[in-house]
Structure formats: C-alpha cells, structure tokens
Amino acid sequence: MDHSTKVQEVIPNLFREQYAKMTAVLCRHFGLAHIELAEDIVSDTFLKATERWTIEGIPQYPEAWLYTVAKNKTKDYFKHQAVFDQKVKSEISQHTDQEDLPIELDSTVSTDSQLAMIFAICDPIIPAEGQLCLALQILCGFSIDEISNALLTKKETIKKRLFRAKEQLRASNFEIKALLPTQINQRLPQVHKTLYLFFNEGYFSTNHNQVIRKELCYEALRLTVMLTANDRTNTAETNALLALFCYQSSRLDARVNHQGELVLFDQQNTADWDTALIDKGNYYLVQATNQEETSKYHLEAAIAYWHTTQNPAKWTSILDLYNQLILVEYSPITALNRTFAFAQVYGVEAGIKEAEKLELLHNRFYFELLGYLYTPVHPQKAIHFFQQALALTQSPAEQNILNQKIAALTTQQNEK
C-alpha cells in the first residue's frame, strides 16, 4: 500500500479522535475569545500532515507529531503576526513564555480541556440548536457540510448558527481549565440535555437518506464516558444517561438491513445486538442507582434495559416506567410509546382507544401506531392510517417501510 492510500485511511479517523482534543488544549492557553485561531491552527496542522505524510509516510507516533506541529505553528503565529491583539498576547505571556508553550500530548490536560469545552458550549445563553452545532464542530470535528447533512439544515443556516453561537461563546469569558464545583452544578443538566439531543440526532436521524447516523451516536457515547471519568461529573444522572446510550447503541447494527432499510424492533435479529454494550449498559445502570435521584434518564435507561431482555412479562414493567416518565417530562413520542406498551399489556382494542385520545394529527408516528394497532382487527383502516403516515414523511427509508405494509395489507384484502 502506497503512502497516499494509507494516509487517506488514517487521517479521517485521526482527525475525529484528535481535532477536539487539540482545539480544547489550544483554547486552554489563549482563551475562547480566539477559538477560531485554535481551529485554524489545528486545521492547518492536519493539512500539513496530509501533505507531508503522503510523501514521507506516517510517523511512528502520529499524535505526538500533530501536537508538535501545532505547538510550533502557535509559536510562529506569535512571532510573525504583528497585528495580533496585544492584550491577548500579554495575557498569554503571563502564563507562559511563548518560546516554550506547554502544549503537550498530556492525557490529563487533554481530557480536562475537552471536559471544560463541553461545559463552555453548554452555556444556557446559547440556543439548543447552536449548542448542537458547536458540539458537532468543536467537539467532534464535523465540517459545515457534515453538520448540514446531519441536521438536515441548509449550510447557510448552519453557518449563521455557528457564528452567533461562537459570538456568545466568546462573550461568556468561560475559561478552559479545571472546572469549579459551581460551574458543574449550574451546567451539568444542560450538558446532559445536549448530549441526549446529540445522541438522538444520530439514533433517530433527520437525514432523509440515512435513518441512523452511527458516528453521532458513538461521539455522544464517547463524550459521556468522559464525564464518568471525572469524579465531579460522574453523577448518578450521568451514569443513567450513559446506560441509555449503551443500550440503544447495542441495537444499531440490527436496526438497518443490508439494503439500508430500517428494521422495526420486533423484526430485529437479536443475534445482531452487541452484548458487550448491553453489559456496559447494565454496569452503568447499577452505577446510576441511588436512593436520592430518579431522573428521566434513569427511567429511559430502565425502559431500554427491558427492551434488551426476552422476559415475556417485560411490558408490564415498561408500561409502569412510561407512566412515571410521562409525569416527569411529557412529549408526544413518550405518549405514543406509552400507548404501544399499553396495547401490549391490555390488547390492541384497548390500545386503539388509548391512542385515539392523543389526537396527534400532525405526527406521522401517531398514524403509524394506529396502523399497527388496527392491522389485526381492521386491515382497511390500517391501510388508511399508514397512508396518512406516508403523507407526513419525507424519509425514503420510512416511505419504503410504509409502502411495504400497505402493499401487504392490500394483497391480504384482495385474497379474501
């Protein structure tokens, strides 16, 4: 294999792993006010790596090479850019001599910097969509195009969100260093919420061409693991959130078939479930258990746990958990999922009555649920509801599933 081919294989993974770390470490030294400078230096470092490694081959320690080049680029910037803000330069010089910037491949500094960066991004003043864009770009190294595709939003809109969010981030004066207890207490709930939205963006992808974005799920998983590695952020709620992510991620490969089509839960091949992730979910759920706290993440993790079991009596437990969850935080999806569990416990006719009370007439999942419930008792009505769901979805994968259901029921009706 020539150098060029190998570099093309290595650089994308290395970029995903190191971009966020390097940006966070650089921001630790010259502050969030100059986050673009950090991003530019890191991007230039990877560009140089691509050029050099294609010719010379990948070095023995590529991560160390990247940090050395980033450090040298930072020193060169201070030496040659006369227009650099004098105030920032003087602030940096108070902490360290610019000839010996302590930008090292140090796992503790790197982890602490990334952790602080997560908390900086989750400033309550930044709108949720802005936080999500920042997380994808700064914490995961996503390009504008990738963020646009992941969030199914125009590139110009993403650029505007990032611009506004970075302006707010700079104005916050949040320091990328070891977190104070007050900062953790104030922002950890928002950090949890952002990671939850982040994971769901991958698990229930809004991208029309991809029903699941695994890389988003795994990045959310990685960042949450980072929270559990710090004593002050390793809370019961953090562990519950991580347990939920592990359980959900365990079924990622089973949720899509070889044609890229979504596979419904009751049709999944359990042999495709990742038992190692299920075991990790069990571990983190135990870690999350205490006598003082039962958050929405605890309840959702417990529901996800029951879905990984083959216990025939599980639906009674799942319904009980949904009854609790809907009181903690109501959402249409929670209500629909609760109704599905209700039908599993009390039968489809009782489930239909419960579902029709919701009247979620602009929600395709509402009509899909009614179609599912009516299928065994009134196929013609089921077809009608599946057609209504079809009219409300733009996802080719979802459309394909609904069309298959309609076709199967139509054939069944014609054969009678």
Side-chain angles (χ1 to χ4, degrees):
M1 183 184 296
D2 61 25
H3 292 328
S4 178
T5 302
K6 194 166 184 180
V7 168
Q8 289 174 8
E9 291 179 357
V10 170
I11 284 287
N13 291 331
L14 203 57
F15 185 85
R16 284 277 189 260
E17 293 171 1
Q18 298 300 326
Y19 177 89
K21 296 179 183 179
M22 294 171 68
T23 301
V25 169
L26 287 174
C27 283
R28 187 185 186 96
H29 292 280
F30 48 74
L32 285 173
H34 296 272
I35 188 171
E36 280 89 354
L37 172 60
E39 292 176 315
D40 288 344
I41 289 174
V42 175
S43 296
D44 286 346
T45 298
F46 275 94
L47 179 61
K48 186 172 182 178
T50 303
E51 294 170 349
R52 288 279 295 275
W53 297 357
T54 299
I55 299 170
E56 302 171 6
I58 298 171
Q60 185 176 3
Y61 302 106
E63 293 92 345
W65 188 99
L66 291 168
Y67 274 74
T68 299
V69 171
K71 177 177 178 177
N72 290 337
K73 281 182 175 290
T74 304
K75 289 196 294 186
D76 289 344
Y77 184 87
F78 291 142
K79 284 180 181 177
H80 301 116
Q81 297 296 319
V83 295
F84 184 70
D85 188 292
Q86 293 298 316
K87 182 177 182 297
V88 174
K89 186 175 179 181
S90 65
E91 286 178 356
I92 293 171
S93 65
Q94 292 173 12
H95 297 285
T96 180
D97 188 321
Q98 67 183 38
E99 292 297 319
D100 189 29
L101 288 170
I103 303 170
E104 305 294 345
L105 189 58
D106 181 291
S107 60
T108 301
V109 171
S110 174
T111 301
D112 286 350
S113 299
Q114 286 187 88
L115 193 63
M117 186 67 85
I118 296 173
F119 277 75
I121 287 170
C122 294
D123 188 330
I125 199 171
I126 301 175
E129 63 269 18
Q131 292 181 15
L132 200 54
C133 289
L134 284 176
L136 289 170
Q137 185 181 68
I138 298 173
L139 300 177
C140 306
F142 277 44
S143 67
I144 297 290
D145 284 345
E146 287 175 314
I147 298 172
S148 174
N149 289 333
L151 304 184
L152 198 64
T153 305
K154 293 179 181 178
K155 286 192 289 185
E156 288 304 314
T157 302
I158 296 298
K159 288 178 182 177
K160 289 176 182 177
R161 285 181 186 175
L162 282 169
F163 177 79
R164 287 193 294 267
K166 285 184 178 179
E167 285 288 300
Q168 293 165 322
L169 194 61
R170 281 192 290 268
S172 72
N173 294 318
F174 195 93
E175 295 185 11
I176 305 300
K177 61 181 184 181
L179 296 164
L180 299 173
T182 52
Q183 293 173 319
I184 292 172
N185 293 337
Q186 289 171 355
R187 296 197 182 186
L188 189 55
Q190 187 61 36
V191 169
H192 289 152
K193 183 178 180 181
T194 298
L195 291 172
Y196 179 81
L197 293 173
F198 193 167
F199 184 90
N200 283 346
E201 200 60 55
Y203 196 76
F204 304 104
S205 178
T206 52
N207 187 311
H208 290 178
N209 298 317
Q210 291 179 270
V211 290
I212 298 172
R213 293 289 303 273
K214 288 184 182 179
E215 67 271 30
L216 297 187
C217 295
Y218 292 143
E219 283 296 329
L221 198 60
R222 178 183 68 83
L223 294 171
T224 312
V225 167
M226 191 185 301
L227 292 181
T228 64
N230 184 291
D231 289 341
R232 286 183 288 184
T233 55
N234 187 26
T235 65
E237 194 166 349
T238 298
N239 280 274
L241 183 65
L242 186 51
L244 171 63
F245 290 171
C246 287
Y247 289 134
Q248 299 289 59
S249 296
S250 72
R251 295 189 283 108
L252 285 174
D253 288 338
R255 290 186 70 220
V256 179
N257 63 21
H258 295 301
Q259 289 74 45
E261 299 167 337
L262 191 65
V263 180
L264 300 178
F265 176 79
D266 55 357
Q267 296 173 351
Q268 290 174 13
N269 182 357
T270 56
D272 291 333
W273 292 1
D274 188 328
T275 54
L277 274 173
I278 293 173
D279 289 341
K280 286 182 183 293
N282 293 339
Y283 169 79
Y284 289 117
L285 189 57
V286 170
Q287 298 303 306
T289 304
N290 61 35
Q291 301 299 315
E292 302 172 1
E293 185 176 3
T294 303
S295 67
K296 64 169 282 188
Y297 306 121
H298 284 82
L299 296 170
E300 289 196 34
I303 290 168
Y305 158 76
W306 279 110
H307 277 89
T308 67
T309 71
Q310 303 300 318
N311 188 331
K314 66 184 179 183
W315 287 109
T316 300
S317 298
I318 290 174
L319 177 59
D320 179 60
L321 289 164
Y322 271 123
N323 287 338
Q324 296 177 60
L325 181 59
I326 208 164
L327 295 175
V328 172
E329 183 177 288
Y330 176 88
S331 74
I333 291 299
T334 299
L336 290 168
N337 287 336
R338 178 198 166 274
T339 303
F340 180 87
F342 185 92
Q344 299 301 313
V345 175
Y346 296 109
V348 292
E349 293 187 358
I352 289 170
K353 291 179 181 178
E354 197 74 6
E356 289 176 340
K357 294 176 185 177
L358 299 176
E359 296 185 341
L360 299 171
L361 303 181
H362 302 288
N363 188 313
R364 77 171 190 270
F365 298 113
Y366 171 67
F367 291 111
E368 284 187 46
L369 176 61
L370 284 173
Y372 167 83
L373 294 174
Y374 268 109
T375 292
V377 295
H378 201 313
Q380 194 58 47
K381 278 192 174 182
I383 292 172
H384 169 71
F385 287 124
F386 283 138
Q387 288 172 335
Q388 286 185 281
L390 186 61
L392 291 172
T393 182
Q394 295 178 305
S395 166
E398 288 282 348
Q399 290 171 347
N400 187 46
I401 288 176
L402 290 167
N403 279 321
Q404 288 179 11
K405 289 180 177 179
I406 292 168
L409 285 170
T410 302
T411 301
Q412 178 183 321
Q413 290 289 93
N414 291 337
E415 289 176 349
K416 287 184 177 179

